Each structure stands twice: as C-alpha cells, then as structure tokens.
Amino acid sequence: QLQLVESGGGLVQPGGSLRLSCAVSMLNLDYYAIGWFRQAPGKEREGVSCISSSGDNTNYADSVKGRFTISRDNAKRTVYLQMNSLKPEDTAVYYCAAAYSASYYCYVSLKTPEYWGKGTMVTVSP
C-alpha cells in the first residue's frame, strides 16, 4: 500500500532552519510530482512548493521564495524541503503529496494530488 511519511518537523526559533523529509513507499517515484502543503491553525491548507517527476521544474509560494528549497532523490524515494530563515508565520502542519506527472509543470500535476502523508508539525517560536 502506498505510503508517504513526513519527518523532520519540530520547534525552532525564528531565523532557524529545518529540513523536512517525505519518504515514499510502494511507488515508482520517477513518474510522480511531489508537493509540500501546509495548514496553519484556523487556516486553509495551502501549497508551499512542488517538484516535477524529473526534478527539472520546481515551484514555490511567494511567501517562501528565497527561503525554502525543494529537492528529490528518487533512488532514496525521498523528497526534501529545506526551510531557512523560518518565521512564526511558517508555523503549520506540513504535508507531502504525490500526483502522477501529467505535466512538465509540477503545480499543474498537483492541482489534484492522489496521495497524502499524515503531516509533520513545524513550530516557529522564540
């Protein structure tokens, strides 16, 4: 059965860094775009970043551009989200999601994710 498992969340001070990992099982990752989404308390889930199946195309929300970097290692079946210069407003549950790669552009493929992880909590606080 397909599983996406996030890890790497935790408590960090403003300005700090975290690296989230999304481990994927039972899936040929070569054919799937992967995205990171987040949901803050009382807010709707929003897209943070995504990466195409080949890794050639990436996309970032304006709020995280220049601070977050997404990458993937298909051999390890893992996608990473490096988060630097974290702000309190980055506090949320972070989810990874997978969608069959229907487009070169990851954000197109991930308009309808097929699989979701259970999330990992990121708290940015002094």
Side-chain angles (χ1 to χ4, degrees), residues 45-105:
R45 187 157 53 190
E46 62 175 352
V48 175
S49 181
C50 66
I51 187 165
S52 64
S53 56
S54 65
D56 289 345
N57 175 254
T58 59
N59 190 268
Y60 297 91
D62 287 343
S63 58
V64 306
K65 279 181 182 176
R67 299 188 297 122
F68 290 10
T69 303
I70 192 169
S71 62
R72 63 191 292 157
D73 185 335
N74 286 359
K76 294 184 177 179
R77 297 176 176 268
T78 303
V79 175
Y80 304 98
L81 185 68
Q82 179 66 44
M83 307 187 296
N84 298 328
S85 302
L86 283 161
K87 305 175 181 180
E89 50 264 44
D90 294 318
T91 295
V93 178
Y94 284 71
Y95 301 89
C96 63
Y100 187 79
S101 186
S103 169
Y104 171 79
Y105 300 101

